[in-house]
Amino acid sequence: MSPRTAKILYKIDRTIRPVFEITSVLTLILMVVAAIDTPAKQVLTYILYAVAAVWATAFVCRICLSPFVISDEEEDFEKKVDYILQKKQTAQPSVPYSPLAALSDQQELQIKQLLHSLPEHPEKPGHINLALVAQYLTALEKMGKADLKDKRNLRMWVAQTTGKQVPSSSQFNEAVPSRAASKVATARKELENLLQ
């Protein structure tokens, strides 16, 4: 169902609801009044039939629309969830993620430029060389200049910093931190020279 159709059905259902509620009350009142023996009993009975017909029509329409329209409980629940999410967003101002720590702005920029300039994957143009990036990230962690615990945000940060495609989360999580100790040591020396 298209969103436009869903919106139209929602409006119809919410318009019928007050009609249903009002005719329910009127039907009950008219049943009681029509049961009393009065000179207007015949007129009240006809009015009762008319109001009951409107009530029955509204009742059938609401039943027919109920599978296609969210219930009041669902709508209330969605409003509460939206409210909670909105409060959470306003309570926590969004701070851009960076794994880098204990660096000046200039040093952070130098590291980002270095990561951006690393050669891409030899067989996949436009993709990072994951092993190489992992070595530099691990070297930064060993130097106390990066925190690699938040792999999800780290992966997105690497993609943004390098401007290249990053492999799937499982591949990335497996590669970082790098276990190639000698290559990490080489990367560390290069980073130490860069940050002096």
Side-chain angles (χ1 to χ4, degrees):
M1 181 186 313
S2 71
R4 186 172 177 265
T5 307
K7 192 173 182 180
I8 290 169
L9 292 176
Y10 175 83
K11 283 184 179 179
I12 292 170
D13 182 70
R14 292 313 188 251
T15 304
I16 291 172
R17 182 172 54 184
V19 172
F20 176 73
E21 291 169 353
I22 291 167
T23 54
S24 296
V25 172
L26 283 175
T27 302
L28 288 172
I29 292 170
L30 287 170
M31 283 173 67
V32 171
V33 173
I36 299 170
D37 202 13
T38 61
K41 183 175 181 173
Q42 189 69 30
V43 175
L44 290 172
T45 305
Y46 290 135
I47 295 171
L48 172 63
Y49 290 148
V51 172
V54 173
W55 177 86
T57 304
F59 181 73
V60 170
C61 287
R62 289 216 66 203
I63 288 176
C64 292
L65 290 173
S66 64
F68 308 106
V69 179
I70 63 170
S71 68
D72 293 337
E73 292 81 16
E74 289 173 313
E75 190 174 12
D76 287 343
F77 181 74
E78 285 180 6
K79 285 179 182 175
K80 287 175 185 173
V81 169
D82 288 342
Y83 175 77
I84 291 167
L85 290 175
Q86 190 177 17
K87 282 288 185 187
K88 192 172 182 180
Q89 283 179 341
T90 55
Q92 296 175 346
S94 59
V95 177
Y97 170 82
S98 176
L100 303 176
L103 294 168
S104 67
D105 290 342
Q106 180 64 30
Q107 289 173 325
E108 192 168 324
L109 184 63
Q110 288 174 320
I111 288 174
K112 286 181 177 179
Q113 286 173 341
L114 173 72
L115 291 172
H116 182 76
S117 66
L118 290 175
E120 60 187 28
H121 194 285
E123 296 167 8
K124 296 179 184 174
H127 287 70
I128 65 166
N129 184 333
L130 183 56
L132 191 58
V133 170
Q135 291 160 16
Y136 279 89
L137 290 174
T138 306
L140 284 166
E141 184 181 45
K142 292 202 181 289
M143 294 167 62
K145 304 293 184 187
D147 180 6
L148 309 182
K149 290 183 188 109
D150 186 354
K151 299 282 181 76
R152 181 177 162 274
N153 281 321
L154 178 64
R155 182 176 170 271
M156 290 189 286
W157 181 83
V158 167
Q160 184 181 1
T161 302
T162 61
K164 300 180 180 93
Q165 295 272 339
V166 179
S168 68
S169 295
S170 59
Q171 288 177 299
F172 186 85
N173 294 348
E174 191 177 317
V176 177
S178 175
R179 288 175 271 295
S182 62
K183 293 182 179 179
V184 169
T186 304
R188 182 173 179 161
K189 284 178 186 172
E190 185 180 341
L191 287 164
E192 286 170 346
N193 290 335
L194 179 70
L195 297 175
Q196 284 180 346

